Amino acid sequence: MGSFVIVGAGLAGAKAAEALREQGFGGRLVLLGDEPDAPYERPPLSKDYLQGKVARDSLFVHTPDWYTRNDVELRLSTTATGIAPDSKHITLDDGELIEYEKLLLTTGSTPRHLPIPGAELDGVHYLRRVGDSERLRELFTTASRLVIIGAGWIGLEVAAAARAAGVDVTILETAALPLLRVLGSTIAPVFAALHREHGVDLRLGVGVQEITGDGHRATGVQLADGTRIDADAVLVGVGATPNTGLAEQAGLTVDNGIIVDAALRSSNPDVYAAGDVARAFQPLLQTHIRVEHWANALN
């Protein structure tokens, strides 16, 4: 029985490893992650964990001994730098080669950065990893004013946590309502009203021109109409970009995600993709869809 290698030690990768063992795969099973932490769930990062309601250990998909008991080679702080589909091996950042019979890419996504002046200043935050959540928790103890760019799930959830910590929050959103494309025009106003009732300064239909700073650190935001909003920190939550670099290098078909069929098989029959990075064929809709949601990774 050959080797099955999974690149991406998030929820999708960890649950795939679990499913393989439960379904009787007895070959070598390698799970590679570029973070120092074992696979964990990301939704609490903007909810209960951000608010200090749950312990760090509760985030993890499996207990530490699960990987040993199930003979899963969990390799952390390890980055795959290349895939050689013809010889069926991947290259790691230290030069090591790992052969595979089947390969699963669960490389996830990266928060989308704003192409505006000031976006790289200190004090501009993104939320994707557990360390990001911990930095925000610390920020809530020192900051008095937070500007959030983007009224998606991340922006709204961080706003709720910040308000619970007593931080003044301004949310800036280009659309007419928060989560309008997701919730529709009937439910979205309910979310807008709820956050305003909790003291959030929600500004809709506005454009951000620049993140202002003192040369090193963010001090606020300037809108397209010239309005300036002071802040101690800025959180950017404007969506995510799928991490398709490995797939592109390997010659797989990529279009806003790795294109896979209903069985999650890519354009190479020995390479699969799942989670945020995959754009899977939906038979009912007869089209490919990429879904950024924890349930997509789990299923």
Side-chain angles (χ1 to χ4, degrees):
M1 191 172 292
S3 297
F4 202 117
V5 176
I6 303 172
V7 180
L11 177 62
K15 297 304 283 189
E18 179 182 318
L20 283 165
R21 287 303 190 225
E22 287 182 347
Q23 293 172 20
F25 177 72
R28 185 188 184 194
L29 180 51
V30 183
L31 177 57
L32 305 171
D34 62 1
E35 295 188 56
D37 295 296
Y40 58 87
E41 299 187 41
R42 299 189 191 276
L45 300 184
S46 58
K47 301 184 182 76
D48 288 349
Y49 186 63
L50 183 58
Q51 296 187 41
K53 293 181 178 179
V54 298
R56 199 175 199 271
D57 287 350
S58 70
L59 301 176
F60 296 105
V61 181
H62 299 114
T63 58
D65 66 336
W66 182 90
Y67 300 95
T68 302
R69 288 190 288 104
N70 288 275
D71 196 21
V72 176
E73 297 179 38
L74 178 60
R75 307 272 296 271
L76 301 175
S77 299
T78 301
T79 302
T81 57
I83 302 171
D86 294 337
S87 55
K88 297 179 72 170
H89 72 261
I90 65 170
T91 304
L92 305 184
D93 51 358
D94 63 0
E96 181 183 353
L97 304 182
I98 298 181
E99 295 182 353
Y100 67 85
E101 182 177 334
K102 300 293 182 182
L103 175 65
L104 172 65
L105 300 178
T106 54
T107 47
S109 57
T110 299
R112 186 173 291 115
H113 285 228
L114 287 175
I116 60 173
E120 303 305 321
L121 287 168
D122 291 340
V124 178
H125 297 264
Y126 296 84
L127 180 53
R128 176 64 182 174
R129 301 189 170 195
V130 64
D132 300 331
S133 184
E134 289 166 350
R135 281 186 286 274
L136 285 172
R137 282 174 61 175
E138 177 64 25
L139 175 70
F140 293 166
T141 67
T142 59
S144 59
R145 300 166 300 178
L146 174 67
V147 168
I148 297 175
I149 302 173
W153 291 117
I154 292 292
L156 295 180
E157 289 164 0
V158 172
R163 288 299 301 135
V167 179
D168 289 339
V169 177
T170 300
I171 298 179
L172 308 174
E173 170 59 49
T174 57
L177 288 166
L179 293 168
L180 182 59
R181 287 184 296 177
V182 178
L183 301 178
S185 58
T186 301
I187 303 300
V190 176
F191 276 73
L194 179 64
H195 282 270
R196 283 174 169 148
E197 287 171 9
H198 284 81
V200 173
D201 181 3
L202 177 61
R203 305 192 188 191
L204 302 169
V206 298
V208 176
Q209 179 175 305
E210 177 184 358
I211 297 175
T212 58
D214 59 7
H216 300 286
R217 188 166 191 82
T219 58
V221 170
Q222 181 170 316
L223 303 184
D225 65 4
T227 302
R228 296 176 69 93
I229 304 169
D230 293 332
D232 302 309
V234 176
L235 173 79
V236 178
V238 292
T241 303
N243 296 326
T244 57
L246 274 177
E248 293 172 20
Q249 173 270 319
L252 305 181
T253 302
V254 171
D255 182 10
N256 186 32
I258 303 171
I259 300 297
V260 296
D261 62 18
L264 303 182
R265 184 183 292 108
S266 76
S267 54
N268 182 303
D270 296 317
V271 181
Y272 298 76
D276 288 4
V277 76
R279 190 171 170 211
F281 183 73
Q282 303 294 325
L284 289 176
L285 301 176
Q286 288 295 297
T287 189
H288 288 82
I289 295 177
R290 187 174 72 86
V291 180
E292 293 175 17
H293 195 278
W294 69 269
N296 183 48
L298 179 62
N299 294 332

